[in-house]
Amino acid sequence: MAGIGLRTGGPAVVAGLLLLAACTGGGTDGSGPGSSVPPTTAPERPPEELYEVPDPLPPGPPGALIRAVPIAGPPVIPDSRAWAILYHSRDFDGRDVAVSGVVVAPPGAAPPGGRPVVVWGHGSTGLADRCAPSHVGAMGAFGPWLGGLLQQGMVVAATDYQGLGTPGLARFAIGLSAGRAVLDVARAARGLDAAGAGGRVVLAGHSEGGHAVLWAAELAGAYAPELQVLGVAASAPGAELAAGLKTAGSGPATLTSGAMLIVVAWSDAYRVPLDVLTPAGRRAVHRVRSSCLQELARAPAAPAVRPGDLLTTPPWPALLARNTPGHAATPAPVFIAQGADDERVAPAATRALVERLCRAGDTVELRTYRDVGHFDIPEAAGADMLAWTGDRLAGRRAGSTCRR
């Protein structure tokens, strides 16, 4: 599906972090929630032991920390602190699960009431455990505006989503699982004493992450009422699932498409047969489950699934509707940034999403950026998203493009 793309990463994101940090203007121990070590002694990447889930998993409330390991903070902000974490969340069926992620805090003491928290939802990386962004450390887990957020005194938390990093099958684009993982990493950040995280939260995400944070905002009132969600910012959100499939065209999609990831991940979660896949797609299911998208993209493109079949073959249409956000109004305002030249999330699909959210009663501001594609939009919209986030924290009224 055109609607979900690979996570932005690599040199372009690092350059964006350095540029943004240049332009924008006390911990306790080393192994758990109250821990801290000098930043120079922390490893850049978390140890593999972080991702080992106890079997059986001792019960814990959503957001409770299972494990926290200090890692190196981003070098763009000297003396910042970071942790790779494992925390409790809930699957779409309510089952207690372990999810991994990263929390980064700025230097210095937190103000009374704690620092505001921005939760980042990353774009698609693949379905294999080793595709989890936290494996790369703090620099790999976030989008290109991390430096600016830390400069403004915010704690930044990122979830790997359920099934990435940790054992088990990835819950790709399953609304309840993704939304809960996002909210629970904000809760987990509050369990790190040295981070100084408070209850005011802004949710932000790109592509698949846009889908995740929109779901989180919709769930927050009932699922995490102690969090004060002030706003939701999404760039090129792969959230309007059926519309995204419609804009993909009539031809077959490849192994790296959102349609293929949906079929493989949802067949595991909902026990749906793989009949909609082509013969080449069925032969590649194990490879898709065990590879990252960048690896799959290096192989010759193989026709794997016709996106239109997911719109007409039961139970796929019902599952698409179930996992598309917009079932209920979101009290927090929404900011959506879309590149006019996006090659993976079609602008038409994003417009359909905005119309859905407006009909639900949301306050939505859509900004479209000319000559910007899917992987460029987080950086192109970064300054606007930072300013919009600052306005939410300052209590200013949000604008809206919804017609009332």
Side-chain angles (χ1 to χ4, degrees), residues 125-163:
T125 59
L127 302 182
D129 290 345
R130 55 194 174 83
C131 309
S134 68
H135 278 297
V136 187
M139 288 297 289
F142 298 98
W145 39 311
L146 171 61
L149 294 172
L150 294 174
Q151 287 269 12
Q152 294 183 19
M154 304 178 199
V155 172
V156 190
T159 177
D160 287 331
Y161 311 136
Q162 183 187 340

Side-chain angles (χ1 to χ4, degrees), residues 194-280:
R200 296 193 302 157
V201 177
V202 173
L203 310 174
H206 173 63
S207 196
E208 181 190 353
H211 172 271
V213 298
L214 286 168
W215 263 102
E218 192 170 316
L219 297 172
Y223 182 75
E226 78 279 14
L227 298 179
Q228 186 183 2
V229 177
L230 302 177
V232 190
S235 59
E240 184 65 29
L241 300 178
L245 290 169
K246 289 176 183 175
T247 60
S250 58
T254 65
L255 299 181
T256 61
S257 66
M260 182 64 177
L261 298 183
I262 281 175
V263 171
V264 174
W266 292 13
S267 68
D268 292 329
Y270 299 116
R271 302 187 183 277
V272 181
L274 296 167
D275 299 346
V276 292
L277 296 182
T278 67

